């Protein structure tokens, strides 16, 4: 798994966990699944940041997304 792919997957998983987290808090339920999703997302983002040879800047994120999706499309 490349660091770009790990970063993109981590950001997408983190974004998808937010509505579930808010729903669990508003219904006064324990946010078990959203917490697990955030743990996985954080792990993927940390893995990407530590294995990337040059690191990432916030302004690079659109290019990282585009580069990753271009690599996945046939």
């Amino acid at each position: 798994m490349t660091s770009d792919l790990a970063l993109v997957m981590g950001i997408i998983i983190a974004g998808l966990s937010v509505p579930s987290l808010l729903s669990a808090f508003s219904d006064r339920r324990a946010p078990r699944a959203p917490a697990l999703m955030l743990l996985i997302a954080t792990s993927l983002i940390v893995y990407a940041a530590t294995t990337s040879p040059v690191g990432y800047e916030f302004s690079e994120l659109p290019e990282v997304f585009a580069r990753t999706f271009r690599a996945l499309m046939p």
Side-chain angles (χ1 to χ4, degrees):
M1 175 182 303
T2 66
S3 58
D4 287 350
L5 180 61
L7 180 68
V8 169
M9 285 176 37
I11 291 172
I12 290 173
I13 291 171
L16 291 174
S17 70
V18 172
S20 180
L21 187 66
L22 292 174
S23 174
F25 280 134
S26 68
D27 291 341
R28 298 184 189 268
R29 293 181 283 119
R32 290 183 186 100
L36 180 63
M37 288 174 65
L38 281 176
L39 179 67
I40 292 169
T42 304
S43 300
L44 284 168
I45 292 170
V46 167
Y47 170 78
T50 57
T51 59
S52 175
V54 293
Y56 294 102
E57 292 182 15
F58 189 72
S59 61
E60 287 182 40
L61 289 180
E63 178 60 32
V64 171
F65 269 83
R67 187 171 50 230
T68 302
F69 286 128
R70 269 186 270 149
L72 292 176
M73 294 298 157

